[in-house]
Amino acid sequence: MIVLENVTEVSLDNVREEVAAAIEQGWRFVTITAVDLNENEFEFIYHFHNPEFEIKNLRLTFPKGTVVPSVSGVLFCALLVENEIKDLFHIDFEGLALDYNGTFYTNVDELEEGERMIAPFATFTTVQKNKD
Amino acid sequence: MSRTIIPFGPQHPVLPEPLHLKLVVEDEIVSEVIPNLGYVHRGLEMLSRVRDMHQMIYVVERVCGICSCLHALAYCHALEKLYGLEAPPRARYLRIIWGELHRMHSHLLWLGLYAESFGFESLFLAFWKVRERIMDIMEATAGNRVVISTNIIGGVRRDISPENLRWIMNEMDLVEKEFRQLMSTMLKDYTVESRTRGKGYLSKEDAYALGACGPTLRGSGWAIDSRMLEYDALKDFSFEPVVEHDGDSYARGVVRFKEVLQSIGIVRECISKIPDSELSVPVKGNPPAGEAWSNVEQPRGELLYYVKSDGTKNLPRVRIRTPTFANIPPLLVMLKGCELADVPVITLSIDPCISCTER
């Protein structure tokens, strides 16, 4: 099976340190990809490049419902993508530098207490069409 | 000093698309900027779960009109990696020709809008007049002016006839001649310099640390351009990215000016060397399970696609990292401390594409 090159597995405990170390080593942050793996798990892939276009990936797998440590404290430019993931996948972050609280794409000024916007990636399912 | 919040956008004369910035100003100076997105969010990435991988080409082309061809190219590259395919030689040249034509018409569109942003309306129309030549080429070679739908997995759908290739060569001469006249008009103009020199400064260190890309990154002194990866026909040429070192709005404009000339050169070189071959290789069955990453240079910067396959015709995940999404954090830094009157020029200097950003 073809997989991404240069992947390091990280955990919820060390993801911030690993991201900070990548920046320290001169890697340039590209983005975070969130993948809905199955009923129980999500996966984040933190992508980095360097000026020679080598790629480095940090892969974080965690159970659904987990509050993930935000890396926006060590990497300011990650705050937009983390807010996007929060909107689309219904994943909460701890320590977001600027938390839109689930309104990043919805442009509502404020949500009622306890209210959540619908997270498309977290609620969407497909059903195979029955040929009969 | 009292602080006031002034909304910039989503409807604003200089913005071709709806971007909303909340500007916190003290007197006339911007002290803080909070971006608000979502006006054109369509959830296109999610469509990969219900559209098959071939139909998704049409979807990704509609992420953004201006660089539709390059979205399809990046997507096809990722799928070709999964299949272990390589497009035939002629297809690789045709992809670069159409890709560079897209870069030229995108930059010409931006240069017109940029001229308009500081009130240079005649120049705005002059740039768009030159751009029409590129649009005519697109229409003649692909049947459409903007969304040209030429890329498929394994190659291209259409060929360009020898007569049309000769005509494009002649058109490139005319585009270059007209463009050089406009270039000297704009770059040597006192008003243009006074409105853009030193405005929206982004240091070399900040550009890298904030994840900037494209002309925003190269205008701050970094020689980083995805075309250095020598994808498709680019491996047959020597490529040097355009770099400016001043880090201001003027430098970012100069990068785009020079890139138009560079693209003209690439198109000419492709036409002079284009080989004969099939246009595509057959693609059989579903892609094998796995994940792939592709990288092409869009007019606004590096465009990245992550594709995950589970062996079925639907892709469980297609992730699109567009350049404007990466250039918004640097924009927040550029705007901090600027005068309110400079906000439109500085915002336009990153060439924001909100359709790309929100997908």
Side-chain angles (χ1 to χ4, degrees):
Chain A
M1 189 167 84
I2 301 169
V3 292
L4 293 181
E5 57 195 82
N6 197 10
V7 177
T8 308
E9 301 287 338
V10 295
S11 68
L12 291 164
D13 295 330
N14 69 357
V15 60
R16 275 189 187 138
E17 290 73 25
E18 290 287 341
V19 168
I23 301 301
E24 196 68 25
Q25 290 159 15
W27 293 93
R28 184 167 64 101
F29 175 71
V30 175
T31 195
I32 304 171
T33 297
V35 184
D36 190 351
L37 286 181
N38 51 48
E39 282 182 5
N40 304 316
E41 287 177 311
F42 276 122
E43 177 184 86
F44 281 179
I45 309 170
Y46 298 78
H47 307 278
F48 299 87
H49 268 169
N50 66 10
E52 288 75 43
F53 284 101
E54 291 167 329
I55 189 167
K56 177 185 177 73
N57 298 294
L58 303 177
R59 197 189 294 270
L60 171 69
T61 308
F62 56 92
K64 287 187 176 174
T66 305
V67 177
V68 180
S70 166
V71 297
S72 58
V74 290
L75 193 58
F76 172 73
C77 52
L79 76 92
L80 291 184
V81 68
E82 287 188 338
N83 273 293
E84 181 183 80
I85 290 169
K86 185 169 180 170
D87 266 30
L88 299 181
F89 289 86
H90 213 151
I91 297 170
D92 281 326
F93 289 88
E94 180 259 313
L96 255 173
L98 173 63
D99 193 347
Y100 285 77
N101 199 24
T103 64
F104 184 63
Y105 274 147
T106 48
N107 288 299
V108 290
D109 286 335
E110 208 170 313
L111 294 173
E112 297 290 324
E113 195 175 331
E115 186 186 4
R116 289 293 300 247
M117 300 306 295
I118 293 169
F121 267 101
T123 58
F124 190 84
T125 55
T126 57
V127 179
Q128 196 73 33
K129 190 176 177 185
N130 191 345
K131 288 180 181 171
D132 301 330
Chain B
M1 188 175 290
S2 65
R3 288 154 57 95
T4 310
I5 296 178
I6 296 186
F8 177 79
Q11 279 76 44
H12 190 281
V14 303
L15 287 176
E17 291 179 90
L19 169 66
H20 180 200
L21 300 173
K22 284 181 185 166
L23 305 172
V24 181
V25 295
E26 292 174 7
D27 198 3
E28 286 284 314
I29 304 299
V30 176
S31 62
E32 201 177 324
V33 187
I34 302 166
N36 255 14
L37 300 170
Y39 294 92
V40 286
H41 175 61
R42 293 146 290 163
L44 295 181
E45 288 178 4
M46 200 174 68
L47 272 178
S48 68
R49 295 184 180 189
V50 285
R51 300 281 177 240
D52 78 34
M53 56 178 179
H54 297 288
Q55 292 172 324
M56 269 307 284
I57 298 174
Y58 299 102
V59 174
V60 299
E61 281 177 332
R62 281 150 182 83
V63 169
C64 166
I66 298 300
C67 38
S68 61
C69 172
L70 292 155
H71 272 282
L73 182 60
Y75 174 78
C76 290
H77 277 171
L79 264 296
E80 284 162 12
K81 275 188 190 173
L82 282 178
Y83 275 107
L85 295 175
E86 194 174 15
R90 189 172 180 86
R92 296 205 296 267
Y93 275 72
L94 290 169
R95 283 175 166 184
I96 296 299
I97 291 173
W98 277 310
E100 292 307 312
L101 288 170
H102 264 72
R103 190 178 321 283
M104 285 153 68
H105 94 73
S106 173
H107 281 355
L108 284 162
L109 179 137
W110 177 83
L111 286 163
L113 294 172
Y114 197 50
E116 196 194 23
S117 75
F118 36 74
F120 218 150
E121 291 213 3
S122 56
L123 199 55
F124 157 65
L125 292 170
F127 276 118
W128 281 37
K129 187 181 164 199
V130 179
R131 180 173 175 261
E132 277 304 301
R133 291 192 184 278
I134 312 292
M135 306 312 282
D136 287 345
I137 295 172
M138 226 78 87
E139 189 173 4
T141 56
N144 208 344
R145 283 163 58 89
V146 179
V147 182
I148 60 172
S149 293
T150 50
N151 287 298
I152 54 173
I153 302 165
V156 291
R157 190 189 307 280
R158 287 168 175 269
D159 199 357
I160 303 180
S161 66
E163 301 76 43
N164 270 344
L165 287 174
R166 280 195 292 277
W167 170 65
I168 295 171
M169 276 292 222
N170 291 335
E171 286 295 293
M172 288 298 109
D173 292 343
L174 295 171
V175 168
E176 183 178 357
K177 185 182 163 202
E178 292 169 7
F179 182 73
R180 282 189 185 278
Q181 286 173 351
L182 297 177
M183 190 171 169
S184 60
T185 305
M186 190 155 163
L187 292 181
K188 291 175 185 168
D189 185 83
Y190 169 78
T191 312
V192 174
E193 287 209 39
S194 63
R195 289 301 309 276
T196 57
R197 281 249 192 234
K199 309 288 185 188
Y201 177 70
L202 184 68
S203 70
K204 189 173 181 179
E205 296 73 27
D206 279 351
Y208 193 84
L210 294 168
C213 63
T216 307
L217 182 64
R218 293 191 287 278
S220 290
W222 288 98
I224 297 179
D225 186 316
S226 302
R227 287 174 288 178
M228 293 156 74
L229 285 167
E230 301 182 341
Y231 54 82
D232 290 321
L234 290 170
K235 65 183 167 196
D236 298 341
F237 312 129
S238 59
F239 176 81
E240 286 290 325
V242 175
V243 179
E244 290 289 318
H245 297 274
D246 290 348
D248 55 10
S249 300
Y250 187 83
R252 292 188 279 278
V254 172
V255 169
R256 293 189 179 91
F257 267 110
K258 291 182 178 174
E259 284 189 352
V260 171
L261 296 173
Q262 187 181 46
S263 294
I264 292 171
I266 293 173
V267 169
R268 281 187 182 132
E269 209 165 344
C270 280
I271 292 175
S272 63
K273 289 182 179 173
I274 191 166
D276 281 327
S277 77
E278 297 293 313
L279 294 180
S280 62
V281 291
V283 177
K284 289 177 185 162
N286 297 328
E291 49 188 358
W293 177 253
S294 75
N295 187 344
V296 303
E297 189 71 14
Q298 219 193 29
R300 296 168 179 87
E302 57 192 11
L303 171 68
L304 301 132
Y305 269 68
Y306 167 85
V307 168
K308 186 180 175 80
S309 164
D310 58 2
T312 65
K313 64 177 183 177
N314 298 114
L315 300 166
R317 186 73 172 112
V318 173
R319 167 86 172 109
I320 309 168
R321 202 306 301 269
T322 57
T324 303
F325 199 96
N327 282 331
I328 287 179
L331 175 67
L332 307 184
V333 171
M334 288 177 212
L335 288 173
K336 203 169 180 180
C338 79
E339 288 185 33
L340 191 57
D342 291 328
V343 170
V345 174
I346 295 171
T347 304
L348 265 191
S349 76
I350 68 158
D351 191 5
C353 176
I354 308 307
S355 295
C356 273
T357 306
E358 299 183 5
R359 292 150 278 130

